[in-house]
């Protein structure tokens, strides 16, 4: 009976997709197939993805609440950290519910405009690179110019940094929408992915998409690549300043404060750069399901681990969490 039910569902899916393929993609919308090549494992894969998504929401939600509720954490470093946590929540929420629907149902349907909207928010919410750069600058000022820290990182400056990060993300993302809107689309409307992303939509087109490919690569290099260079320069100066310290305790404390940030940087950049270059240049050497599986893991694993890294390694956040839960326990009584 179970096998018969699966056959009926597969036949229904195939007929539905074929019917939609008989009309224009802009009108008919797009079908997302989940992780092609691993269809037999979709249900099993959905279990860890669902657990990681819930853990990411819970961890980042607690982190944001701790930072907002504890006055001692209203400092530039923790403001940037709350911004990173907010971006993690929004990014995983933009992608995971639809991805889980794909894994559970075998496919899911999106209108063309809905697909563009999801793509916009996915790429727009990748402001992590700018936030990590801001956190590196904060660490640089705290260690290299501690006496000027309060005068440099004022509320006004922090507001400008946040505005610049959001504006840059929007400016980089907007041309992608323009380029996709001006492509000519064929009747093929199946995206072999768990969520809508730039190159997945571009591959539905009959037009030459070389501009899309090179723009995506240039945007990644000019934004993320530039951020990596600036973060590297910041940490070169930070390490030089740290190793000039005469006190071993002061040196250990400074390295510990930057340790969490370095862990998050590696967690963000290593899989991101691998995914970008492997997707564009890996071609047939890397199976399609590997790219898609990594992309899905990328939007849940860093958001899940970031609160753990900062919660375990940052004493102020750990103490703030204890104080917040203590106040909640007292209030419930």
């Amino acid at each position: 009976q179970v096998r018969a039910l699966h056959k009926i569902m597969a036949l229904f899916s195939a007929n539905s997709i074929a019917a939609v393929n008989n009309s224009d993609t802009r009108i008919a919308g797009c079908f997302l197939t989940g992780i092609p090549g691993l269809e037999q494992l979709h249900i099993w894969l959905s279990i860890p993805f669902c657990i990681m998504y819930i853990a990411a929401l819970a961890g980042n939600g607690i982190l944001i609440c701790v930072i907002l509720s504890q006055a001692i954490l209203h400092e530039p470093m923790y403001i940037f950290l709350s911004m990173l946590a907010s971006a993690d929540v929004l990014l995983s929420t933009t992608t995971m519910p639809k991805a889980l629907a794909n894994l559970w149902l075998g496919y899911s349907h999106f209108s063309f405009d809905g697909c563009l909207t999801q793509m916009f928010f996915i790429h727009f919410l990748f402001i992590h690179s700018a936030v990590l750069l801001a956190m590196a600058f904060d660490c640089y000022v705290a260690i290299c110019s501690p006496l000027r820290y309060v005068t440099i990182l004022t509320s006004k400056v922090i507001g400008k940094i946040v505005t610049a990060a959001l504006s840059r993300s929007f400016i980089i993302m907007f041309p992608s929408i323009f380029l996709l809107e001006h492509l000519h689309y064929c009747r093929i409307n199946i995206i072999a992915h768990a969520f809508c992303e730039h190159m997945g939509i571009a591959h539905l087109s009959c037009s030459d998409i070389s501009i899309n490919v090179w723009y995506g690569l240039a945007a990644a290099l000019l934004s993320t690549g530039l951020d990596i260079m600036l973060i590297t320069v910041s940490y070169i100066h930070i390490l030089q300043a740290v190793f000039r310290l005469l006190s071993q305790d002061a040196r250990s404390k400074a390295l510990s404060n930057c340790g969490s940030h370095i862990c998050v940087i590696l967690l963000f950049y290593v899989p991101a750069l691998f995914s970008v270059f492997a997707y564009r240049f890996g071609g047939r050497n890397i199976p399609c399901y590997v790219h898609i599986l990594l992309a899905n893991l990328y939007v849940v694993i860093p958001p899940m681990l970031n609160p753990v890294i900062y919660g375990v390694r940052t004493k102020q956040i750990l103490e703030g969490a204890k104080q917040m839960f203590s106040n909640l326990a007292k209030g419930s009584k």
Side-chain angles (χ1 to χ4, degrees), residues 131-151:
V131 177
L132 291 174
L133 176 59
M135 294 172 76
F137 177 66
D138 170 82
C139 193
Y140 168 77
V141 175
I143 292 176
C144 298
S145 301
L147 299 178
R148 299 176 57 202
Y149 182 84
V150 178
T151 57

Side-chain angles (χ1 to χ4, degrees), residues 36 273-294:
L273 291 176
F274 174 81
S275 180
V276 168
F277 286 103
Y279 189 81
R280 282 170 172 77
F281 301 111
R284 299 173 184 173
N285 297 324
I286 302 175
C288 179
Y289 66 83
V290 174
H291 294 290
I292 298 169
L293 192 59
L294 286 175

Side-chain angles (χ1 to χ4, degrees), residues 189-241:
N189 59 350
I190 302 173
I191 299 177
H193 212 299
F195 50 81
C196 297
E197 50 87 35
H198 181 202
M199 292 311 301
I201 300 174
H203 280 122
L204 299 179
S205 172
C206 305
S207 310
D208 180 14
I209 61 170
S210 57
I211 295 177
N212 298 72
V213 173
W214 288 110
Y215 177 79
L217 184 61
L221 291 176
L222 292 176
S223 57
T224 306
L226 181 61
D227 290 343
I228 291 173
M229 289 175 59
L230 293 173
I231 289 172
T232 303
V233 171
S234 297
Y235 268 93
I236 289 172
H237 288 290
I238 288 168
L239 292 175
Q240 287 176 344

